[in-house]
Amino acid sequence: MAKKKLVVLTGAGVSAESGISTFRDSNGLWENYDPQEVASIEGWYRNRALLLDFYNMMRANLRDVRPNDAHRAIAALEADYDVRVITQNVDNLHERAGSTRILHLHGELTKVRPENGVYDQTYSEKEVFDIGYEAIHLGDKAPNGSQLRPHIVWFGEAVPKIEPAIDWVSQADILLIVGSSLSVYPAAGLYRYAPAAAPIYLIDPQEVAVHDARIIPIREKATVGMKKFIEMIGK
Ligand code: OAD
């Protein structure tokens, strides 16, 4: 029998217990940094060096953190489900926990690409490459001669992976959302594409302002919430 399709949409909360700050909680990243400065395309054109430093710091921190039990539980579910992970996170903790089908909606910290000109945000997947946890600096050039930039979706930029994400969600038998305030579109609207019959579980210690009769809230941190979710789906 074909395995049921379990689509997991994750946000910063799934990595919080690994020691990565969320964005909008108290003491979250956006309390200490202005997203318009360090995470927008206008910010990049204003001050490339500042953005390079910010993402160099985030990339270096990533080397020192580890996946937690929530990442591992999501990966282990592949034994019984056809699991697809759509993450808003730019960390690589789902990969390091062993998940095999992951779509990074907002890019990946360990990858870079050429900036390809001020008005040209388009790029080919062939131009994206892995730098691990290394830093990049002003003057570091891609093979095509343009400045390297982080492979991150900034505010003001398109979200190229939204189409395949919609495709996955619209085929889900079960949708699980873990640790996202669901405040950044288009990711925040993805759950609406779940088929009418698909239950939507939502793990978050705080109340998330979404209104859909299908949502089954699990008000826990990700590690504990994943245990409860697995009990609830009867694995
Ligand atoms: P937010 O910081 O907006 O939301 C994090 C959510 O995780 C909140 O609902 C918290 O209650 C919850 N949370 C905190 N600790 C948790 C834990 N231990 N277990 C489970 N949940 C926990 O982060 P996102 O929704 O991921 O984009 O933010 C979306 C996007 O906004 C990010 O991808 C980023 C940001 O700007 C870019 O930088 C492009």
Side-chain angles (χ1 to χ4, degrees):
M1 211 176 74
K3 288 176 179 173
K4 277 191 177 177
K5 290 198 172 89
L6 168 62
V7 175
V8 188
L9 172 65
T10 64
V14 77
S15 298
E17 290 163 271
S18 293
I20 299 182
S21 295
T22 61
F23 297 95
R24 297 175 182 78
D25 286 304
S26 62
N27 213 25
L29 216 51
W30 293 162
E31 210 171 270
N32 300 306
Y33 294 92
D34 177 356
Q36 282 313 314
E37 245 174 59
V38 298
S40 79
I41 187 65
E42 292 83 8
W44 172 251
Y45 296 134
R46 239 185 340 254
N47 192 343
R48 286 174 172 78
L50 179 78
L51 268 76
L52 289 170
D53 278 352
F54 178 73
Y55 289 96
N56 286 342
M57 173 195 80
M58 301 267 282
R59 199 177 302 112
N61 286 344
L62 185 54
R63 187 206 303 263
D64 301 327
V65 298
R66 301 277 170 271
N68 64 49
D69 282 348
H71 300 104
R72 281 190 281 272
I74 292 166
L77 280 165
E78 289 191 14
D80 298 291
Y81 290 85
D82 175 351
V83 182
R84 285 144 199 238
V85 179
I86 302 169
T87 187
Q88 297 167 83
N89 299 344
V90 296
D91 66 47
N92 57 3
L93 297 181
H94 286 300
E95 283 85 347
R96 285 158 63 188
S99 283
T100 59
R101 256 174 316 213
I102 306 163
L103 210 149
H104 280 273
L105 273 182
H106 294 163
E108 295 172 71
L109 265 179
T110 53
K111 293 184 177 168
V112 295
R113 65 174 202 256
E115 72 166 342
N116 284 343
V118 174
Y119 299 107
D120 181 7
Q121 290 176 33
T122 60
Y123 62 92
S124 144
E125 285 294 335
K126 282 189 227 133
E127 294 179 301
V128 178
F129 66 93
D130 215 298
I131 53 159
Y133 304 107
E134 297 303 312
I136 52 169
H137 302 285
L138 264 188
D140 290 347
K141 300 277 168 63
N144 73 0
S146 65
Q147 171 65 43
L148 283 177
R149 58 163 277 176
H151 182 49
I152 300 285
V153 175
W154 287 319
F155 289 107
E157 295 195 297
V159 182
K161 298 270 169 68
I162 196 67
E163 291 297 331
I166 290 172
D167 197 47
W168 282 6
V169 173
S170 61
Q171 294 174 42
D173 293 306
I174 303 173
L175 178 64
L176 168 64
I177 303 170
V178 189
S180 175
S181 63
L182 296 181
S183 49
V184 174
Y185 283 82
L190 270 176
Y191 73 90
R192 299 200 194 105
Y193 292 90
I200 304 174
Y201 294 84
L202 193 158
I203 299 174
D204 201 297
Q206 306 290 328
E207 191 174 348
V208 178
V210 278
H211 305 285
D212 188 307
R214 291 173 294 171
I215 291 182
I216 303 161
I218 303 175
R219 286 280 288 268
E220 299 285 357
K221 289 184 174 179
T223 52
V224 175
M226 279 307 299
K227 288 200 187 97
K228 291 201 173 170
F229 167 73
I230 289 165
E231 280 165 21
M232 287 163 93
I233 59 172
K235 211 212 93 191

